[in-house]
Amino acid sequence: MNIVILGPGAIGSLWACHLSRAGHSVSLWSRQHNNSIYLQQDHNPAVQFTCNSKEKLASADVLLVTVKAPIVEPTLEQIAPSLAQETILVLMHNGMGTAEAINTLLPNNPLVIGTTTHGAFRPKPNQVLHTGNGYTEFGGFNEGGKRCDFLQTVFEHALPKVTWHSNILSALWHKLAINCAINPLTAINQVKNGHLSSPNYQKTITSLTAEISQVLNAEGIDTSSESLLSKVNQVIEATSENYSSMHQDIVHQRPSEIDFITGYLLQRAKAHNISVPTNEQLFQHIKQIEQNHD
Ligand SMILES: NC(=O)c1ccc[n+]([C@@H]2O[C@H](COP(=O)([O-])OP(=O)(O)OC[C@H]3O[C@@H](n4cnc5c(N)ncnc54)[C@H](OP(=O)(O)O)[C@@H]3O)[C@@H](O)[C@H]2O)c1
């Protein structure tokens, strides 16, 4: 397939290398590179990729969007005039809330949304390291996207494990719920995920999960505050040595994805008239920290 990666950062570069080795014609669309770049993933031979080719963009079967959530809409707005209506748009980032805007911007394109738990690190622009094996989940957002379940085989062949969901929103909500409970607390307190297992945090995490589970239920997702709390504590234990992406963004004074994680939860809570004061407090705290960045 002709695949263009929009935003070849850590995750985008990882997929670019894997999809290319799987035999696809992959090119990159980036604000940084010109014409072409060699990318090396771990100890594999470096691969040359064409960059920023309008011809490649116009003939793309798939546009894999791997920029962070706040940049999805502005970057797609810029290239929308160059895209064919048949190009399948695949959004892969943490958080929720971008797909609605992209479906309005490009209503005729099949739209697929997903998330990955693979770990990737880009120490320099032409090198990417696969730092943790994970899995990827996809599903269609609009009618055209729902007919693209063949992508499961395409992506699975390149970098397993890949699951296709007939109800991807439910899978994304479960991931968002865990991110809402873990990420802001680790960023505010500047701690690894595992630190949240300390008894000091349990009261706050219990309040967070009670509020989050009410919003999930209102969105039609079957969960309870007890099962969500238990799942959050399992993830804290399983990822105890990890720093969350929000922790990393705050430490490096980069804009975080809070608007698309807790911010999205708050939006949906407001729509359902549900009070979520503990989540609101963490949201405001992260916003305050971001405002004080240099
Ligand atoms: N890295 C991981 O291990 C990991 C794991 C799971 C999920 N995720 C999620 O995957 C998504 C991508 O994360 P990442 O770690 O790959 O991020 P990243 O390394 O920062 O890559 C982001 C990409 O977006 C581009 N970009 C940033 N600002 C831009 C702008 N204003 N205009 C145009 N392009 C812009 C960057 O361009 P430059 O190349 O010019 O910097 C880069 O190519 C995030 O939602 C993240 O939470 C990441």
Side-chain angles (χ1 to χ4, degrees):
M1 295 185 86
N2 292 319
I3 300 177
V4 177
I5 314 268
L6 171 62
I11 284 293
S13 298
L14 180 72
W15 277 103
C17 293
H18 278 267
L19 287 162
S20 167
R21 285 202 298 276
H24 299 288
S25 167
V26 180
S27 70
L28 314 179
W29 191 271
S30 149
R31 62 173 174 173
Q32 210 179 92
H33 312 313
N34 290 317
N35 302 325
S36 76
I37 184 184
Y38 278 94
L39 261 185
Q40 184 176 25
Q41 186 227 315
D42 296 290
H43 298 297
N44 297 291
V47 180
Q48 188 175 18
F49 291 95
T50 303
C51 297
N52 300 355
S53 156
K54 281 208 167 170
E55 291 73 32
K56 297 271 185 198
L57 199 55
S59 60
D61 299 310
V62 173
L63 179 73
L64 175 58
V65 182
T66 53
V67 294
K68 291 183 176 180
I71 316 292
V72 170
E73 195 181 352
T75 47
L76 270 168
E77 260 171 5
Q78 277 176 18
I79 62 163
S82 307
L83 287 172
Q85 290 188 0
E86 298 73 32
T87 301
I88 304 165
L89 310 176
V90 180
L91 310 184
M92 191 191 290
H93 58 73
N94 272 359
M96 292 176 77
T98 57
E100 292 86 342
I102 301 310
N103 202 31
T104 306
L105 177 70
L106 293 158
N108 299 315
N109 290 73
L111 181 57
V112 170
I113 54 178
T115 180
T116 188
T117 64
H118 283 283
F121 174 56
R122 190 176 53 148
K124 39 190 179 177
N126 59 354
Q127 189 187 16
V128 62
L129 305 175
H130 190 185
T131 52
N133 212 16
Y135 58 88
T136 303
E137 298 176 274
F138 285 126
F141 184 79
N142 60 13
E143 284 313 308
K146 287 183 199 293
R147 289 193 288 271
C148 295
D149 53 353
F150 65 92
L151 286 180
Q152 190 274 337
T153 318
V154 173
F155 283 90
E156 169 85 17
H157 182 54
L159 180 57
K161 177 80 188 153
V162 176
T163 307
W164 182 268
H165 289 270
S166 53
N167 183 359
I168 185 65
L169 289 176
S170 171
L172 293 185
W173 264 113
H174 279 107
K175 177 137 198 261
L176 189 102
I178 289 165
N179 283 339
C180 287
I182 295 178
N183 291 17
L185 276 179
T186 59
I188 290 164
N189 297 290
Q190 309 230 333
V191 292
K192 285 182 176 176
N193 291 359
H195 202 80
L196 300 185
S197 62
S198 136
N200 301 347
Y201 292 102
Q202 281 304 302
K203 192 166 165 236
T204 308
I205 294 174
T206 304
S207 303
L208 288 170
T209 49
E211 294 173 10
I212 296 164
S213 64
Q214 283 184 60
V215 180
L216 261 68
N217 289 157
E219 288 285 312
I221 317 278
D222 188 22
T223 189
S224 66
S225 50
E226 294 77 20
S227 71
L228 187 54
L229 178 62
S230 151
K231 183 75 192 156
V232 166
N233 281 325
Q234 277 170 31
V235 174
I236 287 171
E237 202 182 315
T239 61
S240 62
E241 285 306 306
N242 295 6
Y243 287 108
S244 75
S245 55
M246 198 175 289
H247 170 282
Q248 293 296 87
D249 286 335
I250 293 298
V251 164
H252 293 106
Q253 302 214 346
R254 297 185 297 242
S256 76
E257 295 177 288
I258 188 78
D259 286 338
F260 296 83
I261 297 176
T262 309
Y264 187 72
L265 179 94
L266 298 186
Q267 263 182 44
R268 298 311 305 153
K270 193 171 173 201
H272 295 296
N273 218 4
I274 296 169
S275 166
V276 287
T278 318
N279 283 279
E280 173 78 46
Q281 202 186 349
L282 297 189
F283 177 80
Q284 295 303 345
H285 199 149
I286 296 284
K287 286 294 202 187
Q288 188 76 52
I289 294 171
E290 287 183 341
Q291 269 170 22
N292 293 335
H293 282 171
D294 290 339

